[in-house]
Amino acid sequence: MKILTHTVKPKIPQSLAPLEEMAHNLWISWNFEAIMLFIRLEYDVWARSNQNPAKMLGMVPQERYDAMAADDSYLAALNAVYEKFQAYKSGQTWYKGKYEDSVAYFSMEYGMDASLPTYSGGLGILSGDHMKTSSDLGLPLVGVGLLYRQGYFKQYLNADGYQQEEYPENDWYNMPVRRCETAKGEPVKIAVEIAGEHIVAQVWEVKVGRSSLFLLDTNIDENAPANRLITATLYGGDKETRIRQEILLGIGGIRALRAVGVNPAVTHMNEGHAAFMCFERIRELMVERGFNFQQATQALWPTNIFTTHTPVPAGNERFGIDLIDKYFRGWSRELGIEWKSFLGLGRENPDDDSESFCMTILALKMSAYANGVAELHGVVSRRMWKGLWPGLTETEVPIGHVTNGVHSRTWISYTMLELMDRYFGPRFAEEPTNLEIWDRIDRISDEELWRTHERRRERMVGFARDRLRKQMRRMGVSEKGLVRADDALSPSILTISFARRFATYKRGNLLLTDPDRLLRLLSNKDRPVQIIFAGKAHPHDMPGKEIIRELVHFSRRDDVYGRIIFLEDYDMTMSRYMTSGSDVWLNTPRRPLEASGTSGMKAGMNGVLNCSVLDGWWAEGYDPELGWAIGKGEEYTDTDLQDEIESKALYDLLEREIVPTFYERGRDGLPRDWIRMMKNSIRETGKRFCTHRMLMEYTEAYYLPALENAQRLRADKYESAKAVAAYLDLVRNEWHAIAIEDLRTDARPVMERGDTVKVETRVRLGALKPEHVQVELYHGPVSSTGEIYDPVRLEMTPGVSQGGAYEYAVSVDCKVTGQHGYAVRVLPRHKDLVHPFLPGLVRWA
């Protein structure tokens, strides 16, 4: 059946036209005055649209438009907000535009706003905050992703408390996204060959303040029914669906940027899902410049950035060789490399034919810059992937860290923002990179801060009751039974929230290990406690679903009813209520399995106090003046023992510190010690864990160096890249011939501080010359296990050549007392290498 289609737009009076422009720019998602315009336009319609401004505009009756077009008060408010919007887009920014080139940021999901459901959890929320902050800073950054027809699933619970999933269809024509069009008004489309099939995708754009996010969509008539499903659901389907999605994201994403006129010089892969884009960039350069694979790789390696989020090997995307064969055998031929070499790009051990193809390994090998998302996660990542760099010490594995952050004006509640804007001054909004301004939190009186927080807790309880009532009604609870929802929770008692993905390592049921002890906390008449749980389990994670079911069953006990609730379908809207209205934010992962976690940052910025295991961001954010730590950062091999110890530690914290501190009030009824901790939390979390700090770090450590590399490579017409490729070809062929002989030192068994030690060695280089390598003395204190720690690297100076070997020497001053050790190693050296730590190119004495 052939169907002809057209799009119907609302007929908005000219004086209200700014509403449509702002409805299609997610700037409004972090500017509450703009949201108020839509609420004021028609509150009931706003609620029915699920807080979707773009959809709402098509639902407002024409008579209402006509009335508001004649309302001078509304028009004055509209014009004031629109002027602010225009000033934001054209104003001065932190980034001064040293480079005209752009950075392309690739992510599988983006959590921008409840009106755009293209996210599942923390990774997507981070990507969304990354985009918003790049707009604030004026960075030349564009986002790339997929437009999912059904997005991530909506969660609901059956009568037994077991998670069920449903996948509602997204109506993109009533969402803040616009289809890209050519100069002739035709949709922008790109094509990708996937396993011999011609797949077409159209490109959509999401405006994010000054920035743009481009999303690919295969749900169009040109594609066969099966191929239209490639962008059906986020993280849905089997491995074959996933590889097709990741081909479209990576390879199709590069082509989509070209099609809309964006030619990025630098690419940033947020997780390994987009790593296939490296092949497309290489293919383009091979065609454009006539390069071979090695030359093109060296031209692009200095411009690739990779961020890993997964602290466990099993969480990294891997594909069987049968799938890689099906989808990339032709690419191997097109790129001109042997099949085994192609597979080796995704393997830790390229010679292991039984090893699968790992997207994280591909991204690491193809990127000069790599990082984890917290200080501890950087340590874990270097430990996980050190096998890629045999011969390097763990601390030298080239994976750094940039600790995640959150976009403050998105996640701080509007009532708190009003308070901050009043006391912090206009620079708080106008200069988000001025992190010292958070110190002004002490200007806010204890009374005003506490009353603001109490209002937020009241709003959260009202929201929770409404959600609970809807849950119960859907389950078929009688009207009489629904009254219990109105008695659930209290707006005035200590409220603990646990809201996150229900994976088993996050231990959502840790508080249930001692039900009697928990019951005493909940039922204490003088110092009662209440707990809100929320979050989704992956559709295939049966143990995670069982944890949810266990919590729901416990919450239905008569002796705890109304003190513990589970809210279904956790999303960005619910998150805003919970991270601003709770008193304590609980986090109980098994260290070190939490890469970063950002919900605690949102809570901390709102003055909600964190109580968490020292994992992820809290390992570096914790201070006893702004929250509580469960344990002292221990790591266990016996998980049952860990659960027992840490659950008892959690109960102890609640009974001895958290509950007493909350309920200890002065004559004025204020918990002064609690408020002091709230202020500390707001100050330190705001300064250290906002995305403005995060993006400035990314810019200084990765974006600017990579942009400089791109500019340098283009300036010399990629001659330096060709030279590096030729150099590496020579070095890899000759590396086996390198031998370090006769390591000597004039050190006595006992030296005194101030003495000098001379270290000499002889190094055979085969066909290589001294200028091809750097010979280093690696020295430092020696531990009880015989390992050098806190090492210092000193370059050794080459001397005369004797019989094909070179003499090297260096002198070391004895500065620190204790036992010291010395080792010598050889690394590659080339002036155009970003760093010398290349897989397989380290030789120790």
Side-chain angles (χ1 to χ4, degrees):
M1 178 175 62
K2 184 176 183 180
I3 299 177
L4 301 178
T5 64
H6 64 272
T7 304
V8 178
K9 296 177 61 178
K11 187 178 180 180
I12 300 176
Q14 185 60 38
S15 60
L16 303 180
L19 286 172
E20 184 165 19
E21 183 181 350
M22 289 191 290
H24 286 85
N25 191 310
L26 290 177
W27 174 84
I28 68 170
S29 68
W30 70 91
N31 286 275
F32 190 71
E33 306 113 300
I35 293 294
M36 281 302 299
L37 292 173
F38 292 87
I39 294 174
R40 186 175 169 186
L41 181 63
E42 187 70 77
Y43 177 77
D44 290 341
V45 174
W46 170 254
R48 291 203 312 274
S49 73
N50 293 319
Q51 303 180 14
N52 179 348
K55 182 178 181 180
M56 175 190 174
L57 293 180
M59 299 168 63
V60 174
Q62 196 61 44
E63 306 81 58
R64 182 62 177 170
Y65 277 130
D66 295 339
M68 299 307 282
D71 186 329
D72 57 352
S73 172
Y74 184 80
L75 291 177
L78 171 61
N79 291 332
V81 173
Y82 188 61
E83 286 177 10
K84 181 180 177 182
F85 174 52
Q86 296 292 83
Y88 173 86
K89 291 196 297 181
S90 60
Q92 294 292 314
T93 63
W94 173 80
Y95 184 77
K96 303 305 181 185
K98 180 179 179 181
Y99 300 103
E100 295 180 1
D101 295 316
S102 60
V103 177
Y105 179 79
F106 286 71
S107 183
M108 200 73 167
E109 51 175 302
Y110 289 88
M112 299 284 191
D113 188 65
S115 63
L116 191 67
T118 53
Y119 66 96
S120 72
L123 177 68
I125 300 299
L126 173 74
S127 300
D129 284 4
H130 198 111
M131 291 297 304
K132 293 173 184 179
T133 310
S134 74
S135 169
D136 287 346
L137 301 187
L139 294 178
L141 184 142
V142 296
V144 182
L146 301 181
L147 191 74
Y148 302 101
R149 197 179 83 200
Q150 296 177 327
Y152 203 50
F153 70 89
K154 293 185 75 66
Q155 175 199 51
Y156 67 96
L157 304 179
N158 65 17
D160 190 40
Y162 198 74
Q163 174 182 295
Q164 305 289 302
E165 300 88 27
E166 60 181 1
Y167 295 86
E169 295 281 332
N170 288 320
D171 178 7
W172 300 120
Y173 295 92
N174 281 309
M175 290 186 174
V177 53
R178 288 248 170 93
R179 191 168 60 182
C180 296
E181 295 183 347
T182 66
K184 297 180 180 179
E186 298 172 347
V188 172
K189 296 178 181 178
I190 59 97
V192 182
E193 292 291 326
I194 301 182
E197 293 186 89
H198 187 76
I199 311 296
V200 179
Q202 61 183 353
V203 185
W204 299 71
E205 181 180 13
V206 180
K207 298 298 279 184
V208 189
R210 302 179 179 94
S211 302
S212 289
L213 165 64
F214 295 101
L215 302 173
L216 282 74
D217 168 26
T218 64
N219 185 29
I220 54 178
D221 292 339
E222 287 93 328
N223 293 323
N227 294 331
R228 294 181 69 158
L229 297 178
I230 292 175
T231 55
T233 57
L234 172 60
Y235 302 140
D238 55 12
K239 279 287 187 181
E240 188 138 17
T241 301
R242 288 290 288 273
I243 196 171
R244 290 159 74 85
Q245 287 184 331
E246 295 181 11
I247 290 170
L248 181 67
L249 173 64
I251 296 170
I254 292 291
R255 295 180 186 181
L257 290 176
R258 306 285 189 241
V260 297
V262 176
N263 295 294
V266 169
T267 53
H268 182 179
M269 292 167 271
N270 192 39
E271 262 301 6
H273 305 300
F276 290 140
M277 67 92 177
C278 300
F279 296 143
E280 175 64 6
R281 294 190 77 199
I282 289 170
R283 185 199 64 81
E284 286 182 335
L285 206 55
M286 290 174 68
V287 172
E288 176 188 338
R289 297 276 177 170
F291 288 175
N292 61 33
F293 178 81
Q294 288 75 18
Q295 291 169 334
T297 298
Q298 292 309 314
L300 296 172
W301 179 75
T303 68
N304 284 336
I305 301 161
F306 170 59
T307 297
T308 177
H309 290 259
T310 312
V312 290
N316 292 271
E317 187 81 88
R318 289 181 179 271
F319 294 114
I321 300 306
D322 56 335
L323 279 181
I324 298 297
D325 191 313
K326 178 178 178 179
Y327 288 96
F328 283 96
R329 178 74 75 161
W331 272 88
S332 171
R333 291 190 292 269
E334 188 167 1
L335 296 175
I337 56 175
E338 295 181 356
W339 180 238
K340 188 176 180 66
S341 298
F342 183 93
L343 293 177
L345 295 172
R347 286 172 165 168
E348 185 170 339
N349 181 0
D351 294 322
D352 183 358
D353 292 336
S354 65
E355 187 179 341
S356 58
F357 190 96
C358 178
M359 298 296 284
T360 301
I361 291 175
L362 174 63
L364 286 169
K365 288 186 175 181
M366 290 301 207
S367 303
Y369 305 96
N371 69 282
V373 289
E375 183 178 7
L376 177 60
H377 183 232
V379 174
V380 172
S381 297
R382 288 189 288 275
R383 187 185 310 149
M384 277 177 61
W385 302 112
K386 62 183 179 182
L388 290 176
W389 292 272
L392 277 190
T393 60
E394 189 174 296
T395 56
E396 291 179 309
V397 169
I399 302 175
H401 81 273
V402 176
T403 302
N404 281 345
V406 297
H407 187 256
S408 51
R409 298 195 81 84
T410 292
W411 294 106
I412 298 176
S413 70
Y414 69 89
T415 50
M416 181 64 79
L417 271 178
E418 287 177 341
L419 196 62
M420 291 177 173
D421 284 336
R422 193 158 75 246
Y423 284 96
F424 289 11
R427 293 169 63 197
F428 181 52
E430 296 165 2
E431 300 176 24
T433 57
N434 180 6
L435 302 180
E436 299 306 314
I437 209 162
W438 290 92
D439 291 332
R440 296 182 179 182
I441 187 65
D442 291 323
R443 294 182 177 183
I444 301 175
S445 69
D446 289 358
E447 292 83 356
E448 201 162 5
L449 181 64
W450 186 245
R451 300 307 172 215
T452 298
H453 179 64
E454 288 193 311
R455 288 196 299 273
R456 296 185 306 175
R457 192 192 309 115
E458 290 168 3
R459 288 196 182 100
M460 180 188 69
V461 168
F463 171 84
R465 287 172 174 173
D466 182 61
R467 280 287 185 105
L468 193 60
R469 192 181 304 112
K470 290 176 181 176
Q471 286 178 213
M472 294 170 69
R473 181 176 287 115
R474 186 186 46 72
M475 291 179 185
V477 175
S478 66
E479 288 299 320
K480 183 179 180 180
L482 291 176
V483 175
R484 298 187 74 181
D486 295 328
D487 292 331
L489 306 178
S490 164
S492 59
I493 69 175
L494 175 61
T495 306
I496 301 170
S497 287
F498 180 99
R500 54 199 10 90
R501 182 165 57 88
F502 270 82
T504 51
Y505 78 86
K506 293 179 183 282
R507 298 187 295 178
N509 56 350
L510 190 65
L511 266 175
L512 303 189
T513 52
D514 190 340
D516 293 335
R517 202 169 175 184
L518 176 59
L519 182 60
R520 288 196 294 272
L521 284 166
L522 297 171
S523 58
N524 187 308
K525 292 182 179 179
D526 298 321
R527 295 178 168 182
V529 173
Q530 61 192 8
I531 308 172
I532 303 175
F533 289 96
K536 300 176 179 179
H538 188 279
H540 303 307
D541 183 1
M542 300 309 162
K545 290 184 177 184
E546 281 298 328
I547 292 176
I548 293 175
R549 181 174 172 273
E550 180 185 0
L551 289 169
V552 172
H553 277 240
F554 189 84
S555 72
R556 291 174 178 173
R557 286 175 43 164
D558 289 337
D559 51 358
V560 302
Y561 192 85
R563 285 286 187 260
I564 292 184
I565 66 170
F566 188 98
L567 296 179
E568 64 184 18
D569 202 32
Y570 185 58
D571 61 8
M572 290 183 72
T573 299
M574 190 186 296
S575 176
R576 286 192 177 98
Y577 278 99
M578 293 181 68
T579 55
S580 64
S582 306
D583 297 300
V584 175
W585 197 256
L586 181 62
N587 187 32
T588 54
R590 286 195 179 95
R591 176 180 164 126
L593 301 182
E594 178 111 295
S596 173
T598 55
S599 62
M601 301 173 186
K602 299 162 194 166
M605 268 184 209
N606 276 288
V608 177
L609 304 184
N610 278 273
C611 176
S612 174
V613 170
L614 290 172
D615 198 8
W617 79 282
W618 194 235
E620 59 196 272
Y622 167 68
D623 185 288
E625 292 300 309
L626 51 89
W628 295 275
I630 303 169
K632 297 181 179 180
E634 301 90 348
E635 296 178 17
Y636 298 78
T637 55
D638 185 336
T639 56
D640 291 335
L641 176 63
Q642 181 178 10
D643 292 350
E644 180 184 353
I645 292 173
E646 292 183 342
S647 65
K648 288 179 179 178
L650 174 55
Y651 286 124
D652 288 344
L653 282 173
L654 288 167
E655 293 167 348
R656 300 174 186 175
E657 297 187 38
I658 296 174
V659 173
T661 305
F662 181 84
Y663 282 107
E664 285 174 0
R665 310 290 170 103
R667 291 182 179 179
D668 54 9
L670 296 178
R672 294 285 182 176
D673 287 343
W674 191 276
I675 296 170
R676 175 179 52 80
M677 292 181 71
M678 287 177 66
K679 288 184 175 181
N680 290 336
S681 176
I682 292 169
R683 177 191 300 108
E684 294 305 314
T685 311
K687 289 170 67 173
R688 297 174 56 198
F689 298 102
C690 65
T691 41
H692 297 93
R693 184 274 311 156
M694 180 188 86
L695 258 292
M696 288 192 289
E697 284 189 23
Y698 269 114
T699 301
E700 298 292 347
Y702 299 125
Y703 291 165
L704 290 180
L707 286 166
E708 182 178 352
N709 293 340
Q711 188 177 75
R712 172 179 54 80
L713 287 160
R714 279 203 312 270
D716 73 359
K717 296 183 170 54
Y718 297 99
E719 289 301 319
S720 57
K722 292 165 70 175
V724 170
Y727 163 77
L728 290 178
D729 188 50
L730 169 66
V731 167
R732 288 191 173 110
N733 286 332
E734 295 295 330
W735 201 255
H736 68 280
I738 294 176
I740 302 171
E741 305 171 343
D742 192 25
L743 181 59
R744 310 179 300 278
T745 173
D746 63 0
R748 303 182 301 276
V750 178
M751 304 289 288
E752 294 183 346
R753 180 182 288 161
D755 289 348
T756 299
V757 173
K758 186 175 184 180
V759 182
E760 299 174 305
T761 189
R762 183 183 305 117
V763 181
R764 293 192 179 276
L765 297 178
L768 299 176
K769 304 295 183 186
E771 59 267 26
H772 292 144
V773 298
Q774 60 188 58
V775 178
E776 292 183 343
L777 180 69
Y778 185 92
H779 74 97
V782 176
S783 69
S784 59
T785 59
E787 297 178 349
I788 295 174
Y789 65 94
D790 292 334
V792 175
R793 297 165 55 195
L794 285 178
E795 186 171 345
M796 302 185 75
T797 305
V800 297
S801 171
Q802 297 179 352
Y806 295 85
E807 293 290 330
Y808 283 82
V810 70
S811 295
V812 182
D813 294 330
C814 298
K815 297 179 179 179
V816 181
T817 60
Q819 188 179 29
H820 283 250
Y822 303 88
V824 171
R825 69 181 180 185
V826 181
L827 295 168
R829 180 214 296 277
H830 193 284
K831 64 182 180 64
D832 292 315
L833 277 176
V834 175
H835 59 74
F837 301 128
L838 304 180
L841 297 183
V842 184
R843 180 59 52 85
W844 290 88

